[in-house]
């Protein structure tokens, strides 16, 4: 994703290049000029510094997609179901937790902190409750024209990155990503988040194994204080 820093770096690079050409008129290639006398494009065909700055500012503006994410800010309670057994008839594991969402960087990004408990096998092989912590950073990338998200938790050391779209008709976000829980074992993931209403949302998590997609997790969120 082109971040503000990358755009600023590119801008400075162009400014430096422009300055260098100005100091060596004998070896500089011809550059077209705009009506005001400014260069229309840099020698490489890239936008001139003024145009780059204009584009950079335009790409940094908030829009309705950021508003969609902002509407989910607040405190939530959730119930999670996980289908971890290879037995298709096995009942899912269930637990509860809380999530807190808030804006960052002037509403350009959104963070979510998750706390809960999961039933996981201990060193003795017996199932036990384990404290779960997770954190997401989400946003809408104006350059890619996609929703973007990264996720970390205390059950691993990797950072999971996903990109998604939004369907206004069904009020549903759909994200795609890839997990690599073990070296070389990459698993395609599809995440579907439906906004039932302003106080309820449902997330469904699908994994593809051996070419077959299967739902392995479901999380029902209710805004804190609501039923």
């Amino acid at each position: 994703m082109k971040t503000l820093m990358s755009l600023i770096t590119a801008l400075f690079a162009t400014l430096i290049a422009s300055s260098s050409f100005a100091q060596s008129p004998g070896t500089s290639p011809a550059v077209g000029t705009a009506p005001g006398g400014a260069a229309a494009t840099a020698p490489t065909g890239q936008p001139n510094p003024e145009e780059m700055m204009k584009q950079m500012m335009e790409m940094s503006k908030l829009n309705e997609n950021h508003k969609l994410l902002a509407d989910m800010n607040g405190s939530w309670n959730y119930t999670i179901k996980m289908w971890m057994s290879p037995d298709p008839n096995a009942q899912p594991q269930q637990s509860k937790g809380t999530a807190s969402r808030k804006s960052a960087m002037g509403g350009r990004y959104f963070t979510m902190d998750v706390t809960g408990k999961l039933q996981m096998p201990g060193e003795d092989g017996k199932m036990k409750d384990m404290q779960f912590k997770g954190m997401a950073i989400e946003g809408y990338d104006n350059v890619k024209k996609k929703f973007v998200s990264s996720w970390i938790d205390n059950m691993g050391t990797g950072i999971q990155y996903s990109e998604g779209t939004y369907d206004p008709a069904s009020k549903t976000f759909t994200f795609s990503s890839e997990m690599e829980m073990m070296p070389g074992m990459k698993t395609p993931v599809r995440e579907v988040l439906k906004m039932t209403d302003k106080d309820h949302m449902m997330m469904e998590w699908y994994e593809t194994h051996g070419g077959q997609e299967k739902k392995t997790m479901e999380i029902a969120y209710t805004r804190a204080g609501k039923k």
Side-chain angles (χ1 to χ4, degrees):
M1 183 179 69
K2 288 187 177 180
T3 63
L4 182 61
M5 285 304 299
S6 64
L7 287 170
I8 291 175
T9 300
L11 176 59
F12 284 160
T14 303
L15 287 170
I16 292 172
S18 298
S19 176
S20 176
F21 285 126
Q23 294 172 14
S24 306
T27 58
S28 300
V31 179
T33 58
T41 59
T44 60
Q46 296 298 316
N48 63 33
E50 291 81 4
E51 183 62 27
M52 288 182 68
M53 178 62 77
K54 180 180 178 181
Q55 292 183 18
M56 181 181 70
M57 297 306 294
E58 190 66 27
M59 289 295 99
S60 71
K61 290 181 179 179
L62 305 183
N63 55 43
E64 68 278 2
N65 296 297
H66 299 94
K67 176 63 165 56
L68 283 171
L69 296 173
D71 288 342
M72 293 187 283
N73 280 355
S75 298
W76 299 80
N77 297 317
Y78 70 79
T79 299
I80 182 171
K81 295 180 180 180
M82 299 180 68
W83 288 266
M84 301 180 68
S85 172
D87 181 358
N89 297 316
Q91 293 298 309
Q93 295 181 21
Q94 298 190 50
S95 60
K96 298 180 182 294
T98 61
S100 176
R101 299 179 60 98
K102 60 183 179 180
S103 300
M105 304 296 176
R108 290 174 176 81
Y109 305 96
F110 302 85
T111 63
M112 179 171 69
D113 289 292
V114 177
T115 300
K117 289 184 178 181
L118 292 177
Q119 279 275 315
M120 299 292 290
E123 295 182 358
D124 57 2
K126 296 181 179 179
M127 301 299 288
K128 61 178 62 177
D129 284 338
M130 296 186 64
Q131 187 75 10
F132 177 78
K133 291 280 189 179
M135 184 177 73
I137 299 178
E138 301 172 350
Y140 181 80
D141 189 328
N142 287 333
V143 176
K144 289 185 174 181
K145 299 187 184 304
K146 291 183 178 181
F147 291 90
V148 292
S149 176
S150 60
W151 173 264
I152 58 174
D153 58 48
N154 64 343
M155 304 298 288
T157 57
I159 299 177
Q160 185 174 352
Y161 176 78
S162 59
E163 296 183 352
T165 58
Y166 178 73
D167 175 27
S170 61
K171 298 182 179 180
T172 301
F173 295 88
T174 302
F175 287 87
S176 297
S177 62
E178 188 176 67
M179 294 191 307
E180 189 172 6
M181 301 296 290
M182 300 292 290
M185 296 178 61
K186 296 182 179 181
T187 302
V189 172
R190 182 168 64 95
E191 180 183 350
V192 180
L193 179 64
K194 181 177 177 60
M195 303 302 300
T196 308
D197 56 47
K198 66 183 183 66
D199 296 322
H200 300 86
M201 54 187 180
M202 174 69 74
M203 190 278 281
E204 295 180 323
W205 179 277
Y206 297 86
E207 298 179 14
T208 297
H209 297 274
Q212 297 294 319
E213 186 181 69
K214 176 185 177 182
K215 183 166 77 169
T216 59
M217 183 167 58
E218 178 183 287
I219 306 177
Y221 294 90
T222 300
R223 197 177 292 276
K226 303 293 182 179
K227 295 182 179 181

